[in-house]
Amino acid sequence: MDGKLMIGYVETAVYFVLALVAFCLEAWAFFDCLRHKANAFEAVSKRTKTFWLALTGGALAIGALSLYAGGGGGFGTLGLFGLAAVTAASVYLADVRPAVKDAGRGGSRNMGPYGPW
């Protein structure tokens, strides 16, 4: 087997795995956004549910294109659109999701200053 061919197979496999991980992250963000109520987003001042659904839905579509392309090409995981899609999903999961999750839970009477008791 030629060395260049072997490197090509390994490179393709790495890009496919990266595309799969990115797609799972984007799907998680989109479906998590779907399950929260719209008023929870407004209660924590994190834009609107429609905005985050459009952003994570677009990220999911780009992730699906990247996965279909095998992780390479113009919509590749490491391309401009792929990185923007992963960034949008990551911002939702790291910033918006915890705030919306806490707002959706509501205030509990059993909450102390350091957590539940």
Side-chain angles (χ1 to χ4, degrees):
M1 179 178 266
D2 187 62
K4 288 183 181 180
L5 187 62
M6 188 174 191
I7 289 173
Y9 286 144
V10 171
E11 182 181 9
T12 302
V14 167
Y15 280 139
F16 183 76
V17 168
L18 285 174
L20 187 63
V21 168
F23 179 74
C24 290
L25 187 76
E26 292 152 0
W28 178 24
F30 179 72
F31 290 113
D32 185 75
C33 186
L34 270 178
R35 72 182 190 94
H36 290 293
K37 294 181 180 176
N39 56 1
F41 288 87
E42 296 166 5
V44 294
S45 301
K46 295 290 182 185
R47 295 281 191 146
T48 62
K49 181 176 181 173
T50 307
F51 173 81
W52 286 109
L53 275 176
L55 204 61
T56 57
L60 184 64
I62 290 172
L65 282 173
S66 176
L67 191 60
Y68 178 73
F75 282 97
T77 309
L78 297 178
L80 179 65
F81 293 113
L83 289 176
V86 170
T87 302
S90 298
V91 165
Y92 173 80
L93 290 172
D95 184 38
V96 179
R97 181 178 184 264
V100 170
K101 190 170 77 169
D102 287 343
R105 209 179 313 162
S108 174
R109 290 187 302 211
N110 294 333
M111 286 297 282
Y114 304 107
W117 53 274

